[in-house]
Amino acid sequence: MSAPKPNAIREQVKKTKTLVDDLVLLSKMNEETIKLSFAKFDLSKTFNDTVNGFINVARISDKEFLAEPSTDVNYYGNAQAIAELLNILGENALKYCDRNGTITAKAIKDGRNVKIVFTNSYSGKMTDEELSRLFDRYFRSTKPSRDDDGSGIGLSIAKAIVVAHGGTVAATLENAVFAITATLPEKNN
């Protein structure tokens, strides 16, 4: 048996640190020991800056990433947390999108709410129970369609961020298109 390679060890340490950091954040959000500071910010800019980073990654992965540019969406919330939400949803869409599939992302005003929607091609199957549990901590589909090294907490963190903003998040799978929609209510500052 050969000794582990230093790069492999470093990569595993990095993954473990990320997992621990994510667990601490999620625990604090669930216990409400962390109070997010809210301020008015340009959600359009945050959205556009974040999703543009996924376009080249998708291309390298033989996927197409279509971002509907967001304009004139200002929001009263925590800009850093919303950026993290967008990263989680973008990474999830990339990870579970079919090869040669399409990912879409948009952030729009919808009445008095802001809707953030990520969709991706997904030819796999999920039961209604699996869909309803996707945002549960550590939940993993019983029949994963991809080999991945995820921890099962990314969507839990996404839900905690949305809930901390007074919103809701839901997942659907229809006609081989998987969608996650986060609805954030307008708040007065």
Side-chain angles (χ1 to χ4, degrees), residues 16-35:
T16 302
K17 181 186 179 330
T18 300
L19 175 61
V20 170
D21 290 347
D22 287 349
L23 286 170
V24 168
L25 173 65
L26 185 58
S27 293
K28 286 180 178 179
M29 289 184 86
N30 284 342
E31 294 170 11
E32 297 182 15
T33 59
I34 189 171
K35 295 289 185 197

Side-chain angles (χ1 to χ4, degrees), residues 9 19 22 26 66 98 102 116 118 120 146 172 175:
I9 293 170
L19 175 61
D22 287 349
L26 185 58
L66 304 173
D98 293 333
T102 301
I116 297 170
F118 279 77
N120 60 274
R146 305 280 185 272
T172 59
N175 302 317

Side-chain angles (χ1 to χ4, degrees), residues 89 116 118 131 134-135 162 168-172 178-183:
L89 297 181
I116 297 170
F118 279 77
L131 277 171
L134 282 178
F135 300 97
V162 172
T168 60
V169 64
T172 59
F178 178 76
I180 293 181
T181 302
T183 303

Side-chain angles (χ1 to χ4, degrees), residues 16-180:
T16 302
K17 181 186 179 330
T18 300
L19 175 61
V20 170
D21 290 347
D22 287 349
L23 286 170
V24 168
L25 173 65
L26 185 58
S27 293
K28 286 180 178 179
M29 289 184 86
N30 284 342
E31 294 170 11
E32 297 182 15
T33 59
I34 189 171
K35 295 289 185 197
L36 296 176
S37 58
F38 287 17
K40 192 168 194 168
F41 71 98
D42 186 349
L43 192 142
S44 295
K45 181 175 178 356
T46 302
F47 174 84
N48 294 331
D49 290 349
T50 304
V51 299
N52 283 337
F54 289 112
I55 293 172
N56 286 332
V57 176
R59 190 175 300 124
I60 292 167
S61 304
D62 296 322
K63 299 168 186 174
E64 183 177 23
F65 196 106
L66 304 173
E68 183 178 307
S70 182
T71 59
D72 299 324
V73 179
N74 292 304
Y75 187 68
Y76 185 75
N78 185 285
Q80 183 178 354
I82 297 300
E84 179 65 16
L85 169 66
L86 295 167
N87 274 310
I88 290 167
L89 297 181
E91 288 172 4
N92 191 76
L94 277 169
K95 183 184 282 187
Y96 292 102
C97 183
D98 293 333
R99 185 174 184 87
N100 298 313
T102 301
I103 300 158
T104 66
K106 64 182 176 180
I108 58 170
K109 288 287 279 180
D110 183 31
R112 295 185 53 87
N113 298 318
V114 172
K115 284 199 178 200
I116 297 170
V117 182
F118 279 77
T119 69
N120 60 274
S121 309
Y122 182 76
S123 58
K125 303 284 184 227
M126 267 192 260
T127 66
D128 289 341
E129 180 187 353
E130 288 172 318
L131 277 171
S132 71
R133 296 191 57 212
L134 282 178
F135 300 97
D136 292 353
R137 191 183 312 186
Y138 307 121
F139 178 76
R140 303 292 299 238
S141 174
T142 55
K143 299 174 223 145
S145 66
R146 305 280 185 272
D147 292 327
D148 65 72
D149 57 0
S151 61
I153 63 169
L155 291 179
S156 298
I157 293 171
K159 180 180 179 182
I161 291 168
V162 172
V163 169
H165 285 82
T168 60
V169 64
T172 59
L173 177 60
E174 295 179 17
N175 302 317
V177 175
F178 178 76
I180 293 181

